[in-house]
Amino acid sequence: MSFLPVKSDHGAVLPTEYLPAAAGEYQVGQLLNVTGGKLSAITADQATTPPYLCMAQRKVETAGEELPVTRVSAEYIYETALEATASAAEVGVKLQVASGGLNAKTGAGTFEIVSLDGKTAGDAVRGRWVPAASGS
């Protein structure tokens, strides 16, 4: 599964942008970071909110080719799958983005659960992005 927007607070559709990407293979619903001025895959578990969501299944042969993306927004509910069993998963718990940017996993993150179909690997989980907790 991947991260897909399923509902907005205001009914609007997320606008598509075209931004340069690093060479690699990307898929619809994959969360992306920006590294060196180019979109890039998430290579390690991430506790912060990634800025972009890929909107195409695409192989970028040459760095700098444009990739259609939308900005990740707190005004939308996204659906994905749990990467592994998450026994503590429940509404209000915040999850991380798993390496690769396609699933959610346990660990302090910014993807707050609003509903879930179960707590085992592959179960659907829906949530929204919230600001990271501050240290104060």
Side-chain angles (χ1 to χ4, degrees):
M1 191 178 256
S2 55
F3 283 85
L4 296 173
V6 294
K7 182 181 176 184
S8 77
D9 291 346
H10 43 67
V13 175
L14 284 164
T16 300
E17 301 177 45
Y18 292 84
L19 299 174
E25 292 190 38
Y26 300 93
Q27 56 187 299
V28 174
Q30 182 178 14
L31 292 166
L32 304 171
N33 284 324
V34 177
T35 304
K38 294 178 180 58
L39 298 167
S40 60
I42 294 171
T43 57
D45 297 341
Q46 186 167 320
T48 58
T49 305
Y52 294 101
L53 179 67
C54 183
M55 297 307 287
Q57 189 81 20
R58 175 117 189 269
K59 182 173 184 178
V60 174
E61 299 283 348
T62 306
E65 290 179 37
E66 291 188 339
L67 190 65
V69 294
T70 62
R71 290 184 187 266
V72 171
S73 172
E75 297 176 343
Y76 288 78
I77 293 174
Y78 296 81
E79 180 175 292
T80 189
L82 291 171
E83 180 185 61
T85 297
S87 57
E90 60 186 36
V91 172
V93 169
K94 295 179 185 91
L95 303 173
Q96 292 184 352
V97 176
S99 176
L102 296 170
N103 298 302
K105 65 174 288 177
T106 59
T110 58
F111 186 67
E112 184 176 43
I113 298 172
V114 297
S115 68
L116 65 163
D117 292 347
K119 297 182 179 193
T120 60
D123 285 343
V125 59
R126 285 159 296 286
R128 69 173 64 239
W129 301 100
V130 297
S134 65
S136 50

